[in-house]
């Protein structure tokens, strides 16, 4: 059964770079049938898609974050990562990683999420 | 960007009664016969989980009390008989094109 697990610092200072990793088990991020995505949810608010990564290196980013976001992957460790630069308090959120199935276009499964707080 | 609008935003329901959530998109989500609209449920303290994909297909393990319908720009999620374990926030999401956009969420609570 596919499982995803986010990890990374829970506290980041303003203007610095947020870095998270998603470890995938029970499946391969080299799959041609899936993208690997990051989604975030500010406390008490809704969901925002951040971006997607395909094993060929193709990426898609939300235009609202595009200038600050990089999603990459390490095939040898079956992990993919999120970097968000120049963070502000508005970037405080629970960050989820998830698998995106190309055929039916769904996000499933999701990781448990990790809270990142931006504060000095 | 496609704007997704859900209603109502709050939905108190008596157990055993039906419930319905509407989701409208700012442009058609139909492409080549498929409606690229998903429904997710985020139970309290949990990650979102897939309920419905391609507008009307139940995800694996989802009870048949849940059904999705609609086409183009108007979609509906129906729960035939609400149970206490159905509480949470329901989101629709357009999967037609990036950026993928979610609705604001509908909070279902038990009366």
């Amino acid at each position: 059964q596919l499982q995803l697990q986010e990890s990374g610092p829970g506290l980041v200072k303003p203007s610095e770079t947020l870095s998270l990793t998603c470890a995938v088990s029970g499946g391969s991020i080299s799959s041609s049938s899936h993208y690997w995505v990051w989604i975030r949810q500010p406390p008490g608010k809704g969901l925002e898609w951040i971006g997607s990564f395909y094993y060929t290196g193709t990426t898609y980013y939300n235009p609202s974050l595009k200038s600050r976001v990089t999603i990459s992957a390490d095939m040898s460790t079956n992990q993919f990562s999120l970097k968000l630069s120049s963070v502000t308090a508005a970037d405080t959120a629970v960050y989820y990683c998830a698998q995106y199935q190309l055929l039916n276009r769904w996000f499933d499964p999701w990781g448990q999420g990790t809270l990142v707080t931006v504060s000095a | 960007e496609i704007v997704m609008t859900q209603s109502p935003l709050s939905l108190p329901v008596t157990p055993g009664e039906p419930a319905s959530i509407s989701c409208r998109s700012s442009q058609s989500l139909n492409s080549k016969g498929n409606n690229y609209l998903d429904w997710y449920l985020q139970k309290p303290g949990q990650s979102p989980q897939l309920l419905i994909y391609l507008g009307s297909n139940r995800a694996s393990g989802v009870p048949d009390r849940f059904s999705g319908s609609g086409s183009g720009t108007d979609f509906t999620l129906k729960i035939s008989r609400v149970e206490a374990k159905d509480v949470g926030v329901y989101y629709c999401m357009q999967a037609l094109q990036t950026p993928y956009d979610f609705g604001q969420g509908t909070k279902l609570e038990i009366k």
Side-chain angles (χ1 to χ4, degrees):
Chain A
Q1 183 177 355
L2 186 74
Q3 291 186 318
L4 296 90
Q5 178 68 57
E6 306 88 349
S7 63
L11 181 64
V12 180
K13 290 182 170 55
S15 80
E16 295 190 345
T17 296
L18 178 160
S19 295
L20 296 174
T21 297
C22 181
V24 178
S25 58
S28 173
I29 63 171
S30 298
S31 166
S32 60
S33 301
H34 302 94
Y35 274 73
W36 305 93
V37 306
W38 287 96
I39 296 162
R40 70 179 183 178
Q41 183 174 37
K45 296 188 178 180
L47 300 163
E48 179 182 35
W49 170 77
I50 299 171
S52 302
F53 177 90
Y54 193 54
Y55 80 103
T56 58
T58 298
T59 53
Y60 296 97
Y61 299 133
N62 194 317
S64 66
L65 299 168
K66 187 174 184 177
S67 63
R68 299 192 292 130
V69 173
T70 302
I71 299 177
S72 60
D74 184 337
M75 304 301 177
S76 66
T77 59
N78 215 37
Q79 297 179 336
F80 65 104
S81 300
L82 168 70
K83 291 187 184 301
L84 182 65
S85 63
S86 305
V87 297
T88 69
D91 296 309
T92 294
V94 175
Y95 286 76
Y96 297 100
C97 59
Q99 179 188 108
Y100 174 74
Q101 197 221 51
L102 272 169
L103 178 62
N104 293 315
R105 304 197 193 182
W106 68 49
F107 294 140
D108 184 70
W110 298 53
Q112 67 182 31
T114 186
L115 175 62
V116 179
T117 302
V118 179
S119 175
Chain B
E1 182 171 346
I2 299 175
V3 178
M4 306 299 291
T5 304
Q6 289 182 230
S7 63
L9 299 185
S10 179
L11 185 56
V13 184
T14 300
E17 293 296 304
S20 180
I21 301 171
S22 172
C23 177
R24 289 187 173 180
S25 56
S26 60
Q27 66 186 72
S28 177
L29 302 184
N30 188 287
S31 176
K32 299 179 181 178
N34 289 316
N35 286 288
Y36 290 102
L37 188 284
D38 300 333
W39 289 96
Y40 296 88
L41 165 60
Q42 186 172 32
K43 294 183 177 182
Q46 296 185 17
S47 307
Q49 59 187 81
L50 177 68
L51 289 178
I52 302 287
Y53 63 96
L54 294 178
S56 61
N57 296 276
R58 275 189 302 277
S60 177
V62 174
D64 59 7
R65 301 183 289 107
F66 291 89
S67 64
S69 63
S71 181
T73 60
D74 291 317
F75 298 88
T76 302
L77 176 70
K78 293 184 179 179
I79 310 173
S80 59
R81 298 173 306 279
V82 170
E83 298 182 6
K85 59 185 174 183
D86 298 335
V87 298
V89 181
Y90 290 78
Y91 294 95
C92 62
M93 188 202 82
Q94 68 83 10
L96 177 67
Q97 64 188 42
T98 62
Y100 303 119
D101 296 291
F102 294 86
Q104 316 96 302
T106 296
K107 186 174 184 178
L108 186 148
E109 60 180 25
I110 298 297
K111 282 184 182 177

